[in-house]
Amino acid sequence: METIAYKCINCGGPLQYNPEKLKFYCEYCRSAFTEEELKAHFGELDENLSQEAEQEPENTQENSDDFAASTAIYSCENCGAEIMAEKTTAATFCIYCHSPVVLSNRLTGQYKPDLVIPFTISEESAKEKFFAMCRGKKFLPKKFLSDAELHMIKGVYYPYWMIDSLKDGVVHATAKNIRTWTEGDWRYTETTTYKVKRAGKIDFKGFPHSALSKEDHNAMKYVNPYDDKDMKQFTMAYLSGFLAEKRDTERDAIQKTVDSELAGYAEKIYKETMDYDRVQIDNMNLKTLQESWKYALMPVWMMNFSYEGRNYLYAMNGQTGKTYGELPCDKGKLALFGVGLFIVLMIVCMLGGYFLS
């Protein structure tokens, strides 16, 4: 399979997208380029790759065993070393020269994304937020921060489906208003029941749904949402310097799930228009008038690490900075805290009994 390494226009060194500069940066000559400058230089690269993907089969080394069925081997354009990657990996690094590599055919044709939100938070900022999350955690093991391999933090573009869906619905509900008052020794309750109907169109824009079936995608819901103000038309140059996953979930496989989720949001929207004390939805008829799906890549800083035989995950939205993290607990510290708290409570109780006697 063909690989792509974006080169510096000035010195030929590898280019990486720099979230702080919001430009493509060369660490060798320190040149920085905008997307427009890269397009002027690499203009038709993405289009050429799409054509090559249709003409040439993937040049991968595969066997019939489980390992080979889930991996493929490619050649680094910079040093010639062989790169091994999972079938859904679209961008990675050469383990020998550390050059950023985009696996071109993974994101061409039907698998070429429509949209991308580039990273706006740097690797250093992601690490600082991790340390900030750890500060003040009294039961965190002392050795944890030294054992946690922070150099393993990685910027990953995760695949999402972005869905625009125009719905037309009719809802029937039973609503109640409850009034209570007191007269003398008596308390009265009056319940008025209504039959309510609501009808109208709801236009969902950019509803996100994971396009990856791996276990990590479950953690992505904790770092959502993203702000579409930074959404750009996709170009593979944004992947340089980061990892990327190719979608492995198609529309027909998740259509029912998406319909169910949108129906849940629609029910809430209709319910919010019913100004009563209590509302019970009896039935809802929701039709799809128009729907379109776009394929997008979203940025996440992620670190998986192991401590005392258990795996932990730290993830951060690469655009907004929203974090999700699992941290280990020192059972010894927790036990000592429990004993200390018990002793303090016993002393308080004893002193209280002494003064009351």
Side-chain angles (χ1 to χ4, degrees):
M1 171 186 279
E2 182 177 359
T3 59
I4 294 299
Y6 284 88
K7 303 287 187 176
C8 174
I9 297 173
N10 294 330
C11 74
L15 283 178
Q16 299 186 34
Y17 184 73
N18 188 302
E20 291 183 331
K21 299 178 182 294
L22 299 180
K23 291 184 178 181
F24 300 89
Y25 185 71
C26 174
E27 294 184 350
Y28 291 88
C29 68
R30 298 183 179 180
S31 298
F33 306 96
T34 64
E35 179 183 352
E36 289 71 24
E37 289 171 327
L38 278 188
K39 284 182 177 180
H41 190 78
F42 296 114
E44 299 179 356
L45 181 59
D46 286 4
E47 295 179 7
N48 290 339
L49 289 174
S50 298
Q51 295 171 2
E52 291 171 7
E54 296 174 357
Q55 296 172 1
E56 299 181 8
E58 293 187 359
N59 182 24
T60 61
Q61 301 175 15
E62 297 185 12
N63 298 314
S64 59
D65 57 20
D66 292 340
F67 176 77
S70 61
T71 59
I73 298 176
Y74 316 93
S75 295
C76 173
E77 188 178 277
N78 191 52
C79 71
E82 290 188 327
I83 304 165
M84 184 171 61
E86 294 183 358
K87 283 294 185 66
T88 57
T89 300
T92 185
F93 288 88
C94 173
I95 61 174
Y96 295 99
C97 68
H98 203 64
S99 294
V101 175
V102 178
L103 308 180
S104 61
N105 291 16
R106 291 290 173 83
L107 294 177
T108 53
Q110 65 173 329
Y111 290 107
K112 182 176 181 180
D114 303 296
L115 305 166
V116 62
I117 294 182
F119 278 85
T120 59
I121 295 176
S122 68
E123 181 177 344
E124 289 304 315
S125 296
K127 290 179 180 179
E128 289 173 5
K129 282 184 173 288
F130 176 76
F131 280 115
M133 184 179 69
C134 293
R135 293 189 195 105
K137 301 294 189 296
K138 295 182 179 180
F139 303 121
L140 195 67
K142 289 183 179 180
K143 293 183 179 180
F144 170 71
L145 289 180
S146 60
D147 290 346
E149 299 179 355
L150 283 179
H151 65 278
M152 293 300 292
I153 195 168
K154 53 188 179 181
V156 184
Y157 282 103
Y158 273 86
Y160 278 82
W161 285 110
M162 305 296 290
I163 302 140
D164 292 343
S165 185
L166 178 61
K167 306 289 188 182
D168 189 13
V170 178
V171 174
H172 294 89
T174 300
K176 295 180 180 180
N177 277 339
I178 301 172
R179 183 171 71 95
T180 61
W181 70 95
T182 302
E183 292 182 6
D185 295 332
W186 294 88
R187 181 177 179 82
Y188 298 89
T189 299
E190 178 187 80
T191 301
T192 307
T193 302
Y194 304 88
K195 288 297 182 180
V196 182
K197 176 183 176 181
R198 292 288 187 270
K201 297 176 182 177
I202 302 176
D203 196 5
F204 293 98
K205 293 290 187 182
F207 179 77
H209 194 283
S210 174
L212 196 64
S213 62
K214 291 184 178 181
E215 292 183 2
D216 283 349
H217 93 274
N218 292 323
M220 296 303 100
K221 61 184 179 183
Y222 296 109
V223 299
N224 286 337
Y226 288 86
D227 190 339
D228 60 7
K229 68 180 178 61
D230 293 326
M231 192 79 75
K232 298 180 180 293
Q233 292 297 314
F234 175 78
T235 177
M236 284 192 291
Y238 282 111
L239 305 187
S240 185
F242 298 95
L243 304 179
E245 295 286 345
K246 184 190 75 173
R247 77 172 193 259
D248 65 354
T249 301
E250 298 304 318
R251 174 175 177 172
D252 57 352
I254 59 173
Q255 181 73 64
K256 289 183 179 179
T257 302
V258 170
D259 289 342
S260 177
E261 292 178 1
L262 290 179
Y265 284 113
E267 182 175 308
K268 290 180 181 179
I269 293 171
Y270 286 124
K271 198 171 183 179
E272 288 173 356
T273 69
M274 303 177 189
D275 190 15
Y276 299 91
D277 295 332
R278 296 178 185 175
V279 176
Q280 175 64 48
I281 301 296
D282 297 325
N283 60 75
M284 179 177 69
N285 183 17
L286 196 65
K287 296 181 180 179
T288 301
L289 299 181
Q290 187 176 351
E291 190 168 271
S292 64
W293 292 47
K294 290 185 177 180
Y295 176 27
L297 296 181
M298 307 294 195
V300 180
W301 285 107
M302 179 170 288
M303 179 172 64
N304 291 284
F305 50 89
S306 178
Y307 184 82
E308 294 186 349
R310 181 184 169 185
N311 293 324
Y312 294 88
L313 171 68
Y314 168 71
M316 188 183 78
N317 187 308
Q319 180 201 30
T320 68
K322 184 179 179 181
T323 60
Y324 166 79
E326 302 169 331
L327 295 175
C329 178
D330 190 321
K331 295 180 180 179
K333 287 184 178 181
L334 185 60
L336 287 173
F337 176 79
V339 171
L341 182 61
F342 176 77
I343 293 173
V344 170
L345 291 175
M346 286 293 295
I347 293 174
V348 171
C349 291
M350 291 175 64
L351 291 175
Y354 173 80
F355 286 112
L356 290 175
S357 61

